[in-house]
Amino acid sequence: MNFGKRGGKIATSKGRIHSREKVQLGDNVLTVTKVEKSAGSEFDQPKDGHEYVVVTVEIENAGDENISYNPFDFKMANSQGQIVDQAFTTIDTSTALQSGELAPGGKVSGTIAFEQPAGDSACSFSTRPASGPIRQSR
């Protein structure tokens, strides 16, 4: 994962963050635990020439007040310059990140699926929590 400074709000001196490494963004602690590709299912497939990229994230509240979370806070960009919201798909229904609030010390984990051109190695996953944007390249 590459996390970088954007808009002067978030920076990490580590540069390259490895899977399961925690990154603190204000009171949010974000961990990307897995990234998988999927061709879909018999009844739910991406457009021709595309695949689903399913990102598993864990969010932890390290603060002393409730924080909110929402899968629409996350986006994925590709090598064609397209920045997309989560895909509406049933491939991750049982694991999909919902929206809600976390009490202090609370944790939530879930998946967010994006539809991207098949084999695009330049996709980047990002979020804009209250403290600013981060970016993760896959």
Side-chain angles (χ1 to χ4, degrees):
M1 295 177 243
N2 292 323
F3 292 88
K5 185 174 181 177
R6 193 180 253 285
K9 298 189 181 198
I10 292 295
T12 178
S13 61
K14 296 184 179 186
R16 183 156 179 79
I17 307 297
H18 300 283
S19 182
R20 303 283 318 161
E21 189 168 351
K22 296 180 181 195
V23 176
Q24 185 148 357
L25 307 164
D27 290 340
N28 296 308
V29 179
L30 177 69
T31 307
V32 173
T33 59
K34 189 185 325 180
V35 178
E36 297 178 297
K37 295 180 181 182
S38 172
S41 67
E42 178 182 357
F43 303 105
D44 185 1
Q45 297 178 348
K47 296 181 284 192
D48 283 344
H50 286 72
E51 64 190 353
Y52 292 118
V53 179
V54 183
V55 180
T56 305
V57 296
E58 180 181 277
I59 304 166
E60 180 181 353
N61 182 354
D64 55 9
E65 295 182 18
N66 288 2
I67 61 171
S68 62
Y69 61 91
N70 190 316
F72 291 106
D73 292 339
F74 296 86
K75 297 188 181 303
M76 185 171 280
N78 62 38
S79 63
Q80 298 170 9
Q82 301 161 338
I83 303 169
V84 299
D85 291 319
Q86 71 174 356
F88 291 102
T89 177
T90 59
I91 64 164
D92 66 337
T93 300
S94 63
T95 59
L97 182 68
Q98 303 299 310
S99 60
E101 289 192 356
L102 285 175
K107 290 183 183 180
V108 65
S109 181
T111 57
I112 308 165
F114 300 90
E115 188 172 338
Q116 293 293 348
D120 191 336
S121 61
C123 289
S124 63
F125 173 69
S126 64
T127 185
R128 185 176 282 277
S131 60
I134 63 168
R135 166 176 274 163
Q136 176 227 329
S137 296
R138 71 168 175 114

